[in-house]
Amino acid sequence: PDRVTTFADRLNIPIGVTPIPGGVLAYSIPELYRFPDADGDGKADGKEVAYREFGYGDTHGMSSSLHWWIDGWVYGCHGYANTSTVQGSDDQAITMNSGNTYRLRPDGSHIEYYTHGQVNPFGMSIDPLGNVYTSDCHSRPIYMLVRGAYYPSFGKPHDGLGFGPEMMQHSHGSTGIAGVVYYSADQFPESYRGTAFVLNPVTGRVNHDVLEPHGSTYKAIERPDFIRCDDPWFRPVDMQIGPDGSLYIADFYNAIIGHYEVPLDHPLRDKTRGRIWRVTYVGSEGASARSPAPDLTRMPADELVAALGHPNLTVRTHATHQLVHRVGPSAVEAVRAMLSGRSSPEQRAHGVWVLFRLGALDPPTLETLARDDDRLVRVHAVKALAERTAWGPFERGLAFEGLIDADPFVQRAAAEAAGRHPHVDN
């Protein structure tokens, strides 16, 4: 790397880290902390508790895989065996036992369930439609999560409606899956876009699946491994898409795989080394096709609105956050100008959330976006509809239109929205 900067140290198993407005949200036993960086120098100015308290009796998994999404929520995983009763500043607590997923407000105000079950989910990715994927051990390597659904977890029951749909029957040869990425950029060739990569630290491989739509979910079709390595210490455990379109893979780089099979004081437990790999497509001529990542932190509103249409979802996501948190209310005019002119579906879909998060998504605009020609825009408009706190005839009418939409992903978004607002006054 060009340089390494210590942002914060002395954390205890920080397996969940994400940027948030003004700093970083990170887990350290037993709590989620905000690490503010008020002066922007790349170093934390202390820390403050955001959410407490997560169980840590079994360090297989606690709070991990944090993902700050365009709707303003941070999504995360709760790991195996532990029981955690966690609450935000609103004092509304949830109790999670073993595998679950949740979402929370980055300001520490509120946490809520997203799904129930899985054994030990670790690794999270979100696709352009807002579908959330996790990897899991001892059940299936990948799940596309349906909000509110229950998933298998060592004999635990479902909620009476049955378990959420599985994407695959294969296991990629291991129960120790750790990390998933839905590839949503254009640096790799077309055949890799919209497919899923899965990390396998037991076999030392990066597995690959093509996603085939079936209704409003996908089936994962196994493909040849993306990466194999003859180094037996290769332990890929986390993976992200960079703003340059490359895959960045964290390699635990250790001879020891698990907790219990080998004594904790075994001399082969390496506690000092690790590796990060960047995987980039270089083309048939061997010349790198990497594009430099745009500096979103300095862009004015009109350039950020243009970046909402960038082919890389990572760039679009952070352009959305920049418009909301750095540009603020003055971004509304730029987004409205984009919506009234020529724009891409990606720009309009992300524009939905900029307006919503700034309190400027008025009913006429929402209605127009919910009837957009592109299903990507309709899906996000209906998801934003679900986030409205009060529903009346207008909201119910739009949800009904979504339920009879020709696209199954719009239908599911509408069903989830209606399920969150079961009591509507006429």
Side-chain angles (χ1 to χ4, degrees):
D2 296 327
R3 66 180 185 275
V4 175
T5 301
T6 300
F7 181 80
D9 59 7
R10 300 185 183 276
L11 278 69
N12 193 351
I13 313 186
I15 56 176
V17 178
T18 189
I20 58 171
V24 169
L25 183 71
Y27 176 75
S28 179
I29 293 174
E31 296 159 334
L32 269 176
Y33 293 91
R34 283 195 304 271
F35 292 85
D37 178 18
D39 54 10
D41 65 352
K43 296 182 180 180
D45 305 318
K47 66 179 182 179
E48 52 196 41
V49 175
Y51 292 92
R52 59 162 53 109
E53 152 174 331
F54 290 84
Y56 56 95
D58 188 322
T59 54
H60 264 95
M62 295 154 289
S63 178
S64 71
S65 310
L66 302 179
H67 196 112
W68 185 28
W69 182 231
I70 61 174
D71 59 6
W73 292 86
V74 173
Y75 292 74
C77 298
H78 182 267
Y80 175 67
N82 296 302
T83 297
S84 303
T85 298
V86 185
Q87 65 184 38
S89 59
D90 63 357
D91 295 330
Q92 296 184 26
I94 63 171
T95 298
M96 298 175 283
N97 172 256
S98 204
N100 288 267
T101 63
Y102 57 84
R103 67 177 195 169
L104 52 82
R105 293 295 188 187
D107 63 0
S109 61
H110 180 73
I111 183 172
E112 62 189 38
Y113 280 108
Y114 191 71
T115 62
H116 307 263
Q118 300 180 282
V119 173
N120 189 21
F122 184 92
M124 177 178 285
S125 185
I126 302 181
D127 72 14
L129 287 169
N131 297 311
V132 179
Y133 303 81
T134 56
S135 52
D136 189 26
C137 72
H138 289 288
S139 56
R140 299 297 180 198
I142 316 174
Y143 283 98
M144 192 201 85
L145 302 179
V146 176
R147 179 186 173 92
Y150 282 67
Y151 294 91
S153 179
F154 283 162
K156 285 186 176 182
H158 52 68
D159 60 349
L161 296 176
F163 291 116
E166 294 183 339
M167 295 181 64
M168 56 174 61
Q169 298 300 311
H170 54 279
S171 64
H172 284 306
S174 166
T175 61
I177 303 298
V180 60
V181 156
Y182 176 103
Y183 190 77
S184 51
D186 64 343
Q187 206 277 327
F188 285 13
E190 181 68 34
S191 60
Y192 291 97
R193 300 172 195 173
T195 68
F197 298 103
V198 188
L199 299 182
N200 203 324
V202 175
T203 63
R205 300 180 182 184
V206 179
N207 306 128
H208 188 216
D209 292 275
V210 171
L211 303 185
E212 182 180 276
H214 284 253
S216 69
T217 57
Y218 292 99
K219 288 189 181 296
I221 311 301
E222 188 172 12
R223 289 292 182 260
D225 293 330
F226 182 63
I227 294 176
R228 294 188 182 198
C229 183
D230 60 4
D231 183 346
W233 283 33
F234 178 55
R235 307 287 179 207
V237 294
D238 200 8
M239 174 170 48
Q240 302 291 333
I241 302 174
D244 62 352
S246 301
L247 282 182
Y248 289 81
I249 299 174
D251 176 5
F252 193 62
Y253 192 59
N254 209 305
I256 307 300
I257 299 174
H259 295 300
Y260 310 123
E261 298 85 356
V262 180
L264 292 175
D265 58 356
H266 193 285
L268 279 180
R269 286 189 180 272
D270 187 280
K271 301 185 180 184
T272 60
R273 285 170 288 189
R275 304 186 289 197
I276 295 176
W277 300 95
R278 184 181 70 213
V279 183
T280 301
Y281 178 66
V282 298
S284 59
E285 303 301 321
S288 175
R290 275 180 74 228
S291 299
D295 185 357
L296 302 173
T297 65
R298 299 179 183 275
M299 284 186 179
D302 58 338
E303 293 182 19
L304 286 170
V305 169
L308 297 181
H310 195 280
N312 187 330
L313 179 59
T314 298
V315 174
R316 298 201 302 272
T317 297
H318 287 285
T320 304
H321 296 322
Q322 286 285 314
L323 283 164
V324 172
H325 292 285
R326 178 169 63 82
V327 179
S330 61
V332 171
E333 182 178 352
V335 172
R336 291 196 183 281
M338 173 268 291
L339 294 176
S340 63
R342 296 183 62 182
S343 60
S344 69
E346 289 78 12
Q347 285 177 295
R348 299 194 297 278
H350 285 254
V352 167
W353 292 110
V354 175
L355 294 180
F356 179 85
R357 291 165 65 184
L358 291 174
L361 186 57
D362 57 81
T365 303
L366 178 57
E367 185 173 28
T368 298
L369 293 167
R371 295 170 180 168
D372 194 274
D373 290 338
D374 195 282
R375 68 97 177 257
L376 176 70
V377 183
R378 300 199 303 277
V379 164
H380 283 283
V382 175
K383 286 179 178 287
L385 177 72
E387 299 292 334
R388 291 169 72 96
T389 54
W391 268 34
F394 167 75
E395 289 81 6
R396 183 175 59 180
L398 279 186
F400 181 78
E401 288 184 23
L403 291 172
I404 60 175
D405 193 279
D407 185 86
F409 286 90
V410 178
Q411 292 178 22
R412 178 162 58 81
E416 292 176 0
R420 295 179 60 192
H421 298 274
H423 304 293
V424 180
D425 294 329
N426 292 324

